[in-house]
Amino acid sequence: MIHALYPGSFDPLHNGHLDIIRRGSLVFDQLTVAVLSNPLKNSKFLELGARVNVVREATVDLDNVAVETFAGLLVDFVRQRSAQVIVKSLRGALDFEYEAQMAGLNRLLNPDAETVFMLAAPEWSFVSSTRVRELSGLGADISRLVPAASLNALKNLTDPSSE
Ligand code: PNS
């Protein structure tokens, strides 16, 4: 059985992430979305709990997908969960430079963890959480870029009546 981890900040989850999760769930027996909990750095946008809830809600129909949080080194979490694969998404050449460096270091730290790259679907190749945060903050309509669960979480973030 091949267990893959798909790590990230997911701040917020966007349609490109969701596409990788869906496709990854078809390729691997078990896919765990590993949401980074970084106590050294405040959330740029959504708190950890909200990010996890969004991913859970958006993937509720995928039986072999789980959502967990992790802190510290990714390769340690890979060991803890007895996973064999780290899934990363590539949107283009810029991602490749960055991700190749991380894959090389992760391989050095844990040679048993194989990084598998999946190409982002062309329709989502221009979407990033950074751009979604910027657009959302400036009041743009992001409903075509993120799943409904993210949209609701972002609405709660800006809706004073939800406090
Ligand atoms: O969605 P992001 O923020 O681009 O995801 C980055 C992530 C979480 C995959 C990366 O920062 C990570 O693996 N962090 C855990 C700490 C770690 O293992 N760092 C060494 C990487 S070589």
Side-chain angles (χ1 to χ4, degrees):
M1 187 186 107
I2 304 289
H3 180 193
L5 297 188
Y6 178 39
S9 304
F10 304 104
D11 190 21
L13 180 80
H14 57 65
N15 287 346
H17 292 134
L18 195 53
D19 180 58
I20 294 292
I21 295 170
R22 287 190 182 283
R23 287 161 52 204
S25 76
L26 299 174
V27 173
F28 302 105
D29 300 299
Q30 173 74 36
L31 184 80
T32 298
V33 182
V35 183
L36 179 68
S37 151
N38 189 349
L40 299 175
K41 187 179 74 173
N42 286 332
S43 170
K44 289 187 191 149
F45 208 56
L46 296 177
E47 293 302 328
L48 178 65
R51 287 184 273 138
V52 168
N53 287 341
V54 164
V55 182
R56 289 221 167 101
E57 201 180 319
T59 59
V60 74
D61 59 316
L62 301 173
D63 290 342
N64 63 340
V65 172
V67 187
E68 290 193 51
T69 62
F70 80 103
L73 283 176
L74 174 63
V75 289
D76 288 343
F77 191 58
V78 170
R79 275 200 196 93
Q80 272 174 36
R81 289 291 171 270
S82 306
Q84 299 91 340
V85 170
I86 298 168
V87 174
K88 290 296 188 84
S89 166
L90 296 178
R91 286 166 297 199
L94 279 180
D95 278 351
F96 176 79
E97 293 297 333
Y98 176 75
E99 294 295 349
Q101 190 184 48
M102 281 218 270
L105 290 168
N106 282 332
R107 174 189 288 273
L108 204 76
L109 295 167
N110 180 357
D112 296 329
E114 189 67 48
T115 300
V116 171
F117 292 110
M118 295 179 70
L119 279 187
E123 61 268 42
W124 307 124
S125 62
F126 54 89
V127 181
S128 69
S129 293
T130 306
R131 292 282 85 83
V132 168
R133 286 197 298 271
E134 182 181 4
L135 290 171
S136 174
L138 293 170
D141 176 9
I142 53 160
S143 60
R144 284 171 296 172
L145 306 180
V146 300
S150 288
L151 213 52
N152 289 336
L154 301 188
K155 192 170 164 281
N156 289 337
L157 200 66
T158 52
D159 183 358
S161 66
S162 69
E163 284 174 5

